[in-house]
Amino acid sequence: MGPSEMGYEQHFAVALSVKAKQLLQNQLSLSKTQVMSAQRGALRILLSLFLVVGATWAWSAPYHEGRIRVTFRDSARGKDIPITITYAADSASGDNRPLVGTGTKSIPTFGVVVIGHGYQMPVTAYKSLATTICRNPANFIAVLPETGTGLFPNHNDFALDMASAVAYMQREGKRKGSIWEGHIRDENIVAGHSMGGGAAVLAAKTLIQAATATLSGVIAFAPAETNPSSSAAAASVTCPTLILAGGVDCVTPLVGTVQPIYDKLASSCKVLGVIPGASHCQFADVNTTCNLGELNCRATITRDAQFDRCWKYVNAFLERSDDFSQKIENTEVQSTMKPLSTEALKFERPTYCIGDTIRAEYTGDDRNLLWLSDSSLGRQFSTVARSERTAISLVRTTCFGTTRIDTIISAVPRPTVQILGPRWFCPGDSIVLRASTNSSSSNPLRYRWSTGETTQQVSVRMPGNYSVEAISDRGCGVATAFASVDVLPTPTFAVSRSGDSIFCGGKGEVVVSLVGEMVNVQRILWSTGDTTRTVRLRSLGTYIISARIVVGDSLRCQVTSDTITLALRRIDPTEPTITVDGDTLIASQADTYQWLIDDVDIPGSTERQHLARRSGSYRVRTSRSDEGGCMAVSQPLKFVVSGVYEGLVKPLSVRQMPGVLHLDVEPGIRQIEIRNIRGQIVLTQRHEVLGSQSITLDTSPLALDPHTLFIDGQPAILFVPLR
């Protein structure tokens, strides 16, 4: 290709003619007229071949594809611009079909991709590209301006037509009654192949400077140098840009044409993918005109293989995925925003201990590096390993988002240790001390005791101070723990008892207790099953009593008390009786006496006999040594102190016994009566006058109430019968 700005089309037109002529002349020795006739026939044959191959290659789309061909007017330039729009249709493929989702009222919004065609190539040569765009899940439509034709097209006009197509689709998205109303979003991409690729760069400059619509990106396939210069215009293109070039392209070669455009792009996010074996024309569908222009530089890979790699880049770009900047298969990639490489992330050393400083460095491209979690910038980063797993993330802002490397740094815990086990032990016994650590399979520790032993636990028999070291095998230090152990002191105590072992009438209590020093006592267990310091015995029987005392925090040291034997027996004391001699009350024989009246002790009345000085209910409480000193109380005796009526006959003496009344009376007594408190005669007895007499009266039938004794009809004494 020549260096002049018009050289591309001239070279391509000449190449088409020369290649066709050479092809025929090499095959036939013909006259000039015959050659020209044969040349026209060859072109028809190649055109027919294109149509057949094109039909054979057509995609089998798993969706419906609609097409609309319209002509809109650019009023500012006074120009009509025909365009073909390819989009996802609702129910069937074809022309003027409803938009996808129309039947369900869920029509998506679409971004716009305006595609510029190559020199002397119809828009039908980009059906595969348009189909790929419509299939993309990011929802785009493909708009192909049909201008830019002719042997020497105006590149700037063609670029302006592409920019006008963007503006037209944005207007249609807002126009009432348009099928695009409400379904065009402000996301626009200009793309193109060959001449159309160069025109896309010119259109991008126009759109960026006009700022009337959002330009989201540029996609150029083997872009050509144009007039005005596309490489010069690239200096104004700041949006994300994808350029794909062929490794065997002799129409727009990498070094002379594509590379200068890429190098001059002002975008901070640009990618140039060079596909080995790819040709200039295989970026489009089969086209005879294009094929004739590159007969001397044929592709070494199939069109399908070239498409496969192209569409991976295109789809990633449309989906705003940073994958479009990565190498696909054997494609050579140049990029200003290469993804982060794990191989370029280096650490100061392979292992760390908790508390160490972790230092990292990214040795690759250091642009836009951000370290997490503390948002540090730059090539180098440091943080402290505060746990066994420290997360370090390296993030780089890319074209459409971020790329990151997440790394987990394992850190070995520094050793910790404590000594477990009792601190007291019984005389003559031993205890086990155990080192408790944070040792694990990933953090093995060694042990070293002050006794010289290297096991995790040791047995000690002597009081004293002990220590153990836990040593990290991973070089993370040493931890030390200390423990002091001693022999438990033996408590000094005795068994005491209180209370009588004789239970009078079966009732009583004997208390057995531990007395003395009870330091460190944790548990007491009596032979009776009691666990308190004091045992209370209330049941008759023979007891052999001792206590087992457990001392110390480990409940291991046991001390047994002395043993005492107790025989608890029952005695039922003899109930005392009371006899009456006049006003004197006499108790039955006992060792101790206590008289009571109306159930109240009579002070000082502790003799066998008691002279009753007032009427009331009398009892006597006695005890006998042969009955263990058990106390017994008599039945109550209702007693009325005797009263003698003045001037009346009265007995010489009165002796009252239970059930009887003995009287000694003067001679001449004829009749004796006893009357109750109501004055009724309850007993009558007549006697002869024979001198002094002793009379016995049966009082057992009488009620235990006061009665009056009458002698010869006159009251003599008051008494209460005894039982």
Side-chain angles (χ1 to χ4, degrees), residues 568-595:
L568 305 185
R569 59 193 181 90
R570 170 177 179 156
I571 292 181
D572 294 316
T574 302
E575 183 179 300
T577 61
I578 302 174
T579 59
V580 179
D581 184 4
D583 287 341
T584 301
L585 306 180
I586 304 169
S588 56
Q589 183 65 43
D591 293 330
T592 65
Y593 307 90
Q594 174 62 58
W595 289 92

Side-chain angles (χ1 to χ4, degrees), residues 525-701:
L525 180 61
W526 292 88
S527 54
T528 59
D530 294 277
T531 58
T532 57
R533 188 167 179 174
T534 297
V535 178
R536 298 182 181 276
L537 305 177
R538 296 187 178 92
S539 300
L540 300 175
T542 300
Y543 294 87
I544 300 175
I545 299 178
S546 63
R548 186 169 68 252
I549 300 175
V550 180
V551 295
D553 56 359
S554 62
L555 302 182
R556 295 182 56 216
C557 297
Q558 297 185 5
V559 181
T560 303
S561 71
D562 296 334
T563 300
I564 62 172
T565 301
L566 293 173
L568 305 185
R569 59 193 181 90
R570 170 177 179 156
I571 292 181
D572 294 316
T574 302
E575 183 179 300
T577 61
I578 302 174
T579 59
V580 179
D581 184 4
D583 287 341
T584 301
L585 306 180
I586 304 169
S588 56
Q589 183 65 43
D591 293 330
T592 65
Y593 307 90
Q594 174 62 58
W595 289 92
L596 304 87
I597 183 169
D598 296 331
D599 293 325
V600 178
D601 288 0
I602 301 173
S605 183
T606 58
E607 300 296 330
R608 184 179 180 186
Q609 295 183 5
H610 174 71
L611 178 60
R613 299 188 182 277
R614 63 188 178 90
S615 299
S617 178
Y618 284 87
R619 290 174 180 267
V620 65
R621 184 169 61 243
T622 64
S623 68
R624 293 168 50 174
S625 59
D626 61 349
E627 293 180 343
C630 292
M631 305 296 292
V633 181
S634 69
Q635 294 295 318
L637 171 65
K638 290 185 178 181
F639 185 77
V640 178
V641 176
S642 298
V644 179
Y645 292 97
E646 294 293 332
L648 298 179
V649 178
K650 61 180 181 179
L652 298 176
S653 66
V654 178
R655 297 186 305 280
Q656 187 175 14
M657 300 291 289
V660 295
L661 186 64
H662 297 285
L663 302 174
D664 290 333
V665 297
E666 294 289 343
I669 298 303
R670 296 179 180 275
Q671 183 173 325
I672 295 175
E673 296 175 344
I674 297 176
R675 298 182 183 182
N676 60 24
I677 60 176
R678 291 185 295 275
Q680 298 171 326
I681 298 173
V682 295
L683 185 148
T684 301
Q685 190 168 332
R686 295 181 64 82
H687 299 275
E688 296 293 335
V689 180
L690 299 173
S692 295
Q693 303 178 57
S694 292
I695 301 171
T696 299
L697 302 176
D698 182 8
T699 61
S700 58

Side-chain angles (χ1 to χ4, degrees), residues 228-299:
S229 171
S230 54
S231 61
S236 299
V237 176
T238 56
C239 60
T241 301
L242 169 64
I243 297 178
L244 295 176
V248 295
D249 189 341
C250 61
V251 178
T252 58
L254 175 66
V255 175
T257 304
V258 177
Q259 189 72 52
I261 296 175
Y262 174 80
D263 290 342
K264 292 180 182 179
L265 284 168
S267 173
S268 61
C269 177
K270 59 183 180 178
V271 173
L272 170 58
V274 181
I275 304 175
S279 71
H280 183 83
C281 293
Q282 284 191 167
F283 284 110
D285 294 333
V286 174
N287 179 261
T288 302
T289 304
C290 189
N291 290 344
L292 289 175
E294 62 169 5
L295 286 178
N296 289 337
C297 47
R298 295 185 178 181

Side-chain angles (χ1 to χ4, degrees), residues 379-570:
R379 180 185 298 273
Q380 295 178 335
F381 173 75
S382 65
T383 186
V384 176
R386 303 189 185 280
S387 64
E388 293 185 55
R389 291 170 60 84
T390 300
I392 296 177
S393 296
L394 180 58
V395 180
R396 166 180 282 161
T397 301
T398 57
C399 297
F400 302 125
T402 59
T403 178
R404 63 188 291 162
I405 298 174
D406 294 310
T407 304
I408 299 296
I409 301 298
S410 297
V412 177
R414 297 190 180 274
T416 61
V417 63
Q418 60 177 327
I419 298 177
L420 302 181
R423 296 297 186 262
W424 299 88
F425 59 96
C426 304
D429 204 349
S430 65
I431 57 173
V432 173
L433 300 179
R434 180 178 180 274
S436 176
T437 68
N438 58 342
S439 178
S440 65
S441 58
S442 60
N443 181 34
L445 300 178
R446 292 181 288 111
Y447 306 94
R448 184 167 56 227
W449 290 86
S450 54
T451 61
E453 295 170 271
T454 58
T455 54
Q456 188 172 3
Q457 62 185 35
V458 295
S459 177
V460 298
R461 295 180 177 274
M462 298 295 293
N465 297 318
Y466 295 87
S467 65
V468 65
E469 293 179 337
I471 306 165
S472 171
D473 280 348
R474 302 287 293 275
C476 291
V478 178
T480 306
F482 301 89
S484 178
V485 298
D486 206 348
V487 178
L488 276 175
T490 302
T492 302
F493 60 89
V495 179
S496 70
R497 54 158 289 183
S498 63
D500 202 324
S501 60
I502 296 176
F503 286 8
C504 298
K507 296 182 179 180
E509 180 181 80
V510 174
V511 178
V512 180
S513 301
L514 291 173
V515 295
E517 184 183 89
M518 303 293 286
V519 179
N520 291 330
V521 172
Q522 296 294 317
R523 184 182 178 196
I524 299 173
L525 180 61
W526 292 88
S527 54
T528 59
D530 294 277
T531 58
T532 57
R533 188 167 179 174
T534 297
V535 178
R536 298 182 181 276
L537 305 177
R538 296 187 178 92
S539 300
L540 300 175
T542 300
Y543 294 87
I544 300 175
I545 299 178
S546 63
R548 186 169 68 252
I549 300 175
V550 180
V551 295
D553 56 359
S554 62
L555 302 182
R556 295 182 56 216
C557 297
Q558 297 185 5
V559 181
T560 303
S561 71
D562 296 334
T563 300
I564 62 172
T565 301
L566 293 173
L568 305 185
R569 59 193 181 90
R570 170 177 179 156

